[in-house]
Amino acid sequence: MRYFITLSYDGARYHGWQIQPNGISVQEVLNNSLSTLLRQPVEVTGAGRTDAGVNASMMVAHFDTATPIPSNLDYKLNKFLPSDIAIHSIEEVSPDAHARFSAISRTYHYYVITEKSPFEPYAYRYPQPLDFNLMNKAAELLYQYNDFTSFSKLHTDVKTNNCKITLAHWQQVSPIKWEFTITADRFLRNMVRAIVGTLIEVGRGAITIDQFRTIIEKKDRCSAGTSVPGNALFLADVKYDNSIIKE
């Protein structure tokens, strides 16, 4: 039987979602917790791979079991897991449903603050003036392209750097805080943080909108801006076709 598990986590003390040889990961903690509670080996597969320090207000993963799970597994799992990982739901899905490959879209949020804040661990403080209107005009160019090699981590194992971005927009959510929302069918490693870093270059006047377009077209990571810190990045939503959920 296959189940989808929806969870959220604070990524501060983890080396990302995926199991790593040099540090603890969210996937490892979840594998161990489920295996202990279900008394059988369990491995979860996530909808994506968040990097070290990156958070998720919504992550989806799937796992398989030989027998039905207890109806209160979500409650037991929340009692068992550390406080920085929370389970929101566990649903049985079709046997061929896949947390990663069945996803229709993913949405990330990135937060920038312009002044000191007690919530700074979850935002990137950038005290210099930024022109967010100009940054939005640059972000609109992303809709015109599919190849985002310029914003991808080098030497990854993906077969293509093509993605379809359907939303990329900055909005002010408080007097000192701005939220960047980006939605696509898939994302490359480090892609959102590299895009945000390059849009900040536009916002501070270091590059023009035309130069931002040239950076995309060069398909060269070295031409883009520096990646912004991961602590301000959240995986916010993962969409699926409802037909994969078993009634």
Side-chain angles (χ1 to χ4, degrees):
M1 297 178 182
R2 177 158 292 185
Y3 295 89
F4 268 23
I5 182 167
T6 304
L7 65 148
S8 57
Y9 53 84
D10 180 337
R13 74 182 187 97
Y14 298 102
H15 285 237
W17 162 264
Q18 192 171 21
I19 290 176
Q20 304 288 333
N22 61 338
I24 190 169
S25 69
V26 179
Q27 185 183 36
E28 179 183 357
V29 171
L30 201 53
N31 283 351
N32 293 341
S33 299
L34 280 167
S35 298
T36 299
L37 290 173
L38 296 175
R39 299 180 181 179
Q40 59 181 288
V42 176
E43 293 186 6
V44 297
T45 299
R49 306 174 184 176
T50 55
D51 292 333
V54 174
N55 313 290
S57 49
M58 178 189 178
M59 167 64 90
V60 179
H62 75 252
F63 65 93
D64 298 327
T65 63
T67 56
I69 62 171
S71 59
N72 64 343
L73 179 61
D74 53 348
Y75 173 79
K76 289 183 176 180
L77 201 51
N78 273 324
K79 294 276 286 183
F80 196 84
L81 286 165
S83 60
D84 52 10
I85 302 176
I87 306 303
H88 302 296
S89 66
I90 303 176
E91 299 177 287
E92 188 178 357
V93 295
S94 302
D96 59 346
H98 195 286
R100 180 181 175 190
F101 298 126
S102 298
I104 298 170
S105 69
R106 298 159 177 84
T107 297
Y108 281 88
H109 291 160
Y110 196 88
Y111 296 97
V112 171
I113 53 175
T114 55
E115 297 178 14
K116 182 181 178 180
S117 166
F119 305 109
E120 201 165 317
Y122 302 101
Y124 175 41
R125 178 155 64 109
Y126 197 87
Q128 299 177 32
L130 291 172
D131 187 335
F132 286 94
N133 288 328
L134 203 61
M135 291 159 70
N136 271 330
K137 289 179 181 178
E140 289 176 359
L141 296 179
L142 297 169
Y143 304 147
Q144 302 175 20
Y145 295 90
N146 292 312
D147 190 326
F148 294 101
T149 300
S150 291
F151 304 116
S152 173
K153 187 174 182 178
L154 299 175
H155 311 303
T156 61
D157 57 356
V158 297
K159 295 180 180 179
T160 174
N161 287 336
N162 286 359
C163 310
K164 180 60 178 176
I165 294 176
T166 55
L167 178 64
H169 184 75
W170 290 93
Q171 65 174 347
Q172 191 169 13
V173 294
S174 83
I176 68 165
K177 189 175 186 179
W178 289 78
E179 176 188 78
F180 180 62
T181 302
I182 184 166
T183 301
D185 58 344
R186 63 190 290 265
F187 285 93
L188 308 172
R189 292 285 304 276
N190 203 51
M191 178 174 165
V192 179
R193 292 163 59 194
I195 287 175
V196 172
T198 311
L199 287 174
I200 285 176
E201 293 293 289
V202 174
R204 71 184 186 90
I207 62 173
T208 66
I209 291 179
D210 285 341
Q211 287 172 318
F212 183 77
R213 180 189 291 277
T214 300
I215 287 170
I216 300 173
E217 294 178 349
K218 276 186 174 181
K219 302 176 185 177
D220 176 14
R221 178 65 186 93
C222 295
S223 68
T226 303
S227 295
V228 288
N231 64 292
L233 181 61
F234 287 76
L235 175 59
D237 194 20
V238 187
K239 296 288 189 189
Y240 298 90
D241 190 313
N242 290 333
S243 63
I244 67 174
I245 306 296
K246 295 195 75 172
E247 300 293 339

